[in-house]
Amino acid sequence: MTAIAGLVGVPSAGTRESACRASLEALKLYGSRNSVRITSTAAFGVNLYELVAEDRFDDQPYHNERFVLVADVRIDNRDEMLAALGAKSIRSRNCSDAEILFRAWCRWQERCLDMIVGDYAFAVHDHQSGSLTLARDPVGQRPLFYARQSDAIFFASMASGILPHRRFGHDRVRMAQRLIGQEDESRRSYFEGVERVLSGELVVISGGQVTTRRWNPRTDELRERTRDDLVVELRDTFDGAVAARLRRIAGP
């Protein structure tokens, strides 16, 4: 798992950077190659764990004049996304999954989530609107947490990446629920004040307001297809899914 962390709203650039690096230090078990990007209002960082071959080209955090993004992502429909973006074949071989996500977000913003197939948890800050967007894929394979403190917002792949910034008490109700096997769809974590982004959820924090929406993977209607057509389609889809999941760095 690649670990991501960051914050928005801390006034001092030096404080933003030190706080972001403290988060990454707390998440060092999840990735070894770290990098931080400081903007006028935010600090985003990543501890990269190389899982697929294209991760060697990963140059997070990605940024332009409007957005900065960090992501724990594995895109299974790379070719489809690159075609939609109009990427040239030579360039696409040297393009990380996180860069594909960044380019898709820059073009379509949250609409790109209906196009991407794969595992992801990411954060993106919009310099123009001042909003922070956090998102996870519908299956929820990659975790993501956040906390609000005064005028600052902190996020991290694991709650441990937020704990260095304040003394958080334990959420005893959430811990009791886990001990008795009672899982729910609340955003509560094991720490009071630290919330989790739910699977398939988009969280937008702007101007002190939090808005959320959830979505499910796209599906096609099964009309006007025979049983034999569906059997062939299932076989092709299954083969494609297995091939996508076998994409990884060679070795044990």
Side-chain angles (χ1 to χ4, degrees), residues 69-171:
L69 174 145
V70 286
D72 176 18
V73 58
R74 173 197 175 112
I75 296 179
D76 290 333
N77 62 332
R78 274 180 61 95
D79 292 343
E80 181 180 333
M81 291 302 301
L82 288 167
L85 289 165
K88 296 185 181 298
S89 59
I90 296 177
R91 175 70 185 89
S92 67
R93 290 199 298 268
N94 301 332
C95 187
S96 71
D97 287 7
E99 184 179 352
I100 293 174
L101 172 61
F102 177 67
R103 291 165 64 179
W105 183 271
C106 290
R107 180 173 297 187
W108 299 295
Q109 280 79 71
E110 65 180 72
R111 296 193 305 276
C112 74
L113 301 180
D114 295 322
M115 306 166 63
I116 294 173
V117 178
D119 306 333
Y120 55 81
F122 70 87
V124 58
H125 183 235
D126 185 335
H127 305 312
Q128 291 182 8
S129 68
S131 64
L132 173 67
T133 300
L134 308 171
R136 291 177 66 202
D137 69 85
V139 180
Q141 293 295 302
R142 310 293 172 95
L144 190 57
F145 295 81
Y146 67 98
R148 288 173 288 168
Q149 181 178 345
S150 299
D151 294 330
I153 307 161
F154 298 87
F155 69 86
S157 292
M158 303 294 289
S160 56
I162 298 175
L163 300 184
H165 309 301
R166 182 177 111 192
R167 192 174 184 86
F168 293 90
H170 293 101
D171 187 326

Side-chain angles (χ1 to χ4, degrees), residues 134-251:
L134 308 171
R136 291 177 66 202
D137 69 85
V139 180
Q141 293 295 302
R142 310 293 172 95
L144 190 57
F145 295 81
Y146 67 98
R148 288 173 288 168
Q149 181 178 345
S150 299
D151 294 330
I153 307 161
F154 298 87
F155 69 86
S157 292
M158 303 294 289
S160 56
I162 298 175
L163 300 184
H165 309 301
R166 182 177 111 192
R167 192 174 184 86
F168 293 90
H170 293 101
D171 187 326
R172 297 182 180 181
V173 172
R174 175 66 180 144
M175 295 176 72
Q177 288 175 332
R178 179 60 183 269
L179 289 171
I180 65 174
Q182 179 186 348
E183 296 295 333
D184 61 20
E185 284 295 288
S186 74
R187 295 178 180 84
R188 301 168 72 161
S189 72
Y190 299 119
F191 301 94
E192 292 180 335
V194 178
E195 300 180 72
R196 56 179 180 150
V197 180
L198 301 179
S199 58
E201 184 175 51
L202 187 82
V203 177
V204 181
I205 306 172
S206 180
Q209 300 296 315
V210 180
T211 59
T212 65
R213 80 171 179 89
R214 299 186 74 179
W215 73 96
N216 293 311
R218 65 179 187 233
T219 56
D220 297 324
E221 293 292 335
L222 301 181
R223 300 170 184 166
E224 300 179 359
R225 281 180 278 182
T226 67
R227 180 183 180 279
D228 289 343
D229 289 339
L230 292 172
V231 169
V232 172
E233 187 173 339
L234 175 61
R235 179 77 255 182
D236 291 342
T237 301
F238 184 77
D239 288 345
V242 171
R245 300 308 290 180
L246 287 176
R247 173 180 157 248
R248 58 181 291 277
I249 293 175

